[in-house]
């Protein structure tokens, strides 16, 4: 069965074809970074219009890559939410229109479920159950995953998401959007420890996170010091180290609490190389295996939506409704049969 996946929740249009027998056949992405750069963040109306422009050429591209005609598509999965309402509507309308033209089932997917299952696209593939650290621009959560749709929230951020903290701190340091990759590039030239930043909630005993104070602490240091290039790099390195220390400690605590020996990392911040190296080191010392999506599938993409669709289609008894859910709690997603 061949599933077309469509992602359009924010500033990336991603399409992919996933074959339940042969795995991922093709994927294509258009990033709107250049479009939003001048504004220092995503402009929702511009994002929606760009999705409209990109979606048909991207469909042609994934079909050509896979040497398939559109009649080979057996089902369509699209991001139903959470995300920007107008951007979501583009993917939803396109999925339902194409689904109705081709006479194939259409299914809405929770964006975070896509991220959560994305490490299953990589080799080696983790078995259920596992603990998932979801670190994106909008969310920071620790989940226990017993199976598709069997998600228990263990902890989450009480304020900013990890990616949001990277983005806001990058802005404070005069770096462009998106800030995460830019800040981590700057941090590579600096040394953590020259400036001292807090590790918020490190010893709070729960599995929640807080990142807004860290960003404020960076602002305070920046105001109190004349920062040359080296000092900016040192501050970026200390910020990154502080965020990573907390993410690593809480992830290991979540594994301990749920007696899990498998940890999956998903979402854009999962591309961060310090997070990957520190987590693998600390987890390895405790007999915990860590699974990461391929770098291309850490940030938003169509492959994770096609894959989540493949996992869920078995349970689909009738066409899904035409709907978008700009706000949607992952815990309310039903278990797959
Ligand atoms: O998962 P994603 O593509 O979109 C959301 O669903 O939010 O995540 C985007 C977030 C942004 O905040 C971006 O700055 C961050 O992931 N990010 C990174 C890195 N690459 C992307 N943060 C830290 N280091 C990176 N290398
Ligand atoms: Zn995302």
């Amino acid at each position: 069965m061949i599933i077309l996946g469509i992602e359009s929740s924010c500033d990336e249009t991603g399409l992919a074809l996933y074959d339940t027998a042969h795995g991922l056949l093709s994927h294509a992405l258009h990033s709107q970074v250049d479009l939003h750069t001048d504004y220092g963040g995503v402009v929702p109306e511009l994002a929606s219009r760009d999705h409209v422009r990109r979606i048909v050429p991207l469909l042609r591209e994934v079909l050509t890559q896979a040497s398939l005609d559109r009649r080979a598509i057996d089902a369509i999965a699209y991001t139903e939410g959470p995300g920007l309402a107008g951007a979501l509507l583009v993917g939803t309308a396109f999925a339902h229109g194409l689904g109705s033209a081709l006479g194939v089932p259409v299914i809405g997917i929770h964006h975070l479920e896509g991220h959560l299952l994305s490490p299953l696209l990589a080799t080696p593939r983790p078995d259920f159950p596992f603990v998932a650290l979801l670190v994106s621009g909008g969310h920071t959560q620790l989940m226990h995953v017993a199976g598709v749709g069997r998600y228990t929230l263990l902890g989450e951020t009480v304020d900013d998401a990890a990616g949001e903290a990277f983005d806001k701190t990058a802005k404070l340091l005069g770096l462009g959007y998106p800030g995460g990759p830019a800040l981590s590039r700057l941090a590579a030239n600096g040394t953590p420890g020259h400036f001292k930043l807090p590790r918020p909630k490190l010893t709070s005993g729960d599995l929640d996170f807080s990142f807004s104070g860290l960003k404020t602490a960076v602002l305070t240091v920046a105001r109190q010091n004349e920062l040359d290039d080296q000092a900016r790099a040192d501050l970026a390195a200390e910020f990154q180290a502080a965020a990573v220390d907390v993410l690593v400690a809480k992830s290991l605590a979540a594994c301990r609490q749920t007696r899990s020996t498998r940890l999956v990392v998903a979402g854009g911040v999962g591309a961060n190389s310090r997070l990957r190296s520190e987590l693998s080191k600390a987890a390895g010392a405790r007999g915990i295996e860590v699974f990461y999506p391929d770098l291309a599938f850490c940030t938003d993409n169509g492959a994770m939506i096609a894959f989540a669709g493949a996992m869920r289609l078995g349970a689909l008894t009738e066409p899904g409704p035409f709907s978008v859910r700009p706000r949607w709690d992952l815990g309310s997603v039903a278990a797959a049969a």
Side-chain angles (χ1 to χ4, degrees):
M1 189 171 199
I2 293 176
I3 294 121
L4 169 69
I6 302 173
E7 156 63 30
S8 74
S9 66
C10 189
D11 58 348
E12 261 124 9
T13 325
L15 273 76
L17 290 168
Y18 182 83
D19 184 338
T20 47
H22 300 106
L24 190 65
L25 301 179
S26 58
H27 67 97
L29 187 84
H30 177 79
S31 164
Q32 302 178 354
V33 164
D34 293 344
L35 184 68
H36 301 295
T37 254
D38 288 347
Y39 305 94
V42 180
V43 183
E45 181 58 24
L46 293 182
S48 312
R49 291 182 201 189
D50 200 60
H51 287 307
V52 172
R53 268 194 297 273
R54 307 292 174 182
I55 204 159
V56 172
L58 285 172
L59 172 62
R60 288 205 189 101
E61 197 175 326
V62 291
L63 288 168
T64 307
Q65 268 182 40
S67 305
L68 290 173
D69 181 82
R70 63 175 180 271
R71 281 180 293 269
I73 296 169
D74 296 305
I76 302 173
Y78 68 95
T79 303
E80 185 178 341
L84 302 170
L88 288 167
L89 268 170
V90 178
T92 304
F94 185 74
H96 279 275
L98 186 61
S100 140
L102 296 175
V104 300
V106 177
I107 183 171
I109 296 294
H110 193 295
H111 180 79
L112 292 183
E113 181 171 52
H115 277 304
L116 204 64
L117 299 178
S118 60
L120 275 69
L121 277 166
T123 326
R125 187 178 159 153
D127 290 326
F128 297 114
F130 53 76
V131 165
L133 171 68
L134 250 176
V135 268
S136 72
H139 294 84
T140 298
Q141 299 183 331
L142 278 161
M143 288 270 181
H144 184 260
V145 180
V148 176
R150 297 171 62 203
Y151 311 131
T152 310
L153 183 67
L154 303 171
E156 64 183 333
T157 183
V158 296
D159 43 52
D160 290 352
E164 190 180 357
F166 269 88
D167 291 338
K168 288 178 174 172
T169 303
K171 212 168 184 173
L172 281 175
L173 294 174
L175 302 171
Y177 148 90
L183 189 131
S184 107
R185 275 193 301 276
L186 179 63
N189 303 324
T191 311
H194 279 192
F195 294 104
K196 291 264 181 294
L197 294 175
R199 269 63 176 160
K201 280 187 147 304
L202 188 63
T203 54
S204 60
D206 57 26
L207 297 174
D208 288 337
F209 303 89
S210 167
F211 290 107
S212 72
L214 193 50
K215 164 202 69 198
T216 312
V218 171
L219 182 63
T220 308
V221 172
R223 280 192 178 142
Q224 286 170 351
N225 298 273
E226 216 29 70
L227 295 181
D228 60 11
D229 285 351
Q230 187 56 52
R232 279 172 68 247
D234 289 340
L235 187 52
E238 173 66 3
F239 166 82
Q240 181 174 255
V244 166
D245 282 355
V246 181
L247 291 170
V248 169
K250 299 271 172 165
S251 300
L252 296 183
C255 289
R256 211 164 37 239
Q257 224 175 73
T258 56
R259 298 176 196 281
S260 301
T261 54
R262 285 181 291 270
L263 174 66
V264 153
V265 181
V269 184
N272 185 272
S273 51
R274 184 175 175 104
L275 176 63
R276 286 182 172 227
S277 61
E278 293 295 306
L279 202 51
S280 295
K281 210 166 33 179
R286 289 164 184 78
I288 296 166
E289 205 178 346
V290 193
F291 298 85
Y292 304 95
D294 289 344
L295 277 178
F297 302 139
C298 275
T299 46
D300 292 348
N301 65 87
M304 67 183 193
I305 302 303
F307 181 73
M311 298 287 100
R312 288 199 157 270
L313 272 163
L316 195 68
T317 50
E318 55 187 52
F322 183 107
S323 96
V324 294
R325 305 198 212 189
R327 289 173 177 273
W328 188 6
D329 170 18
L330 183 58
S332 70
V333 166

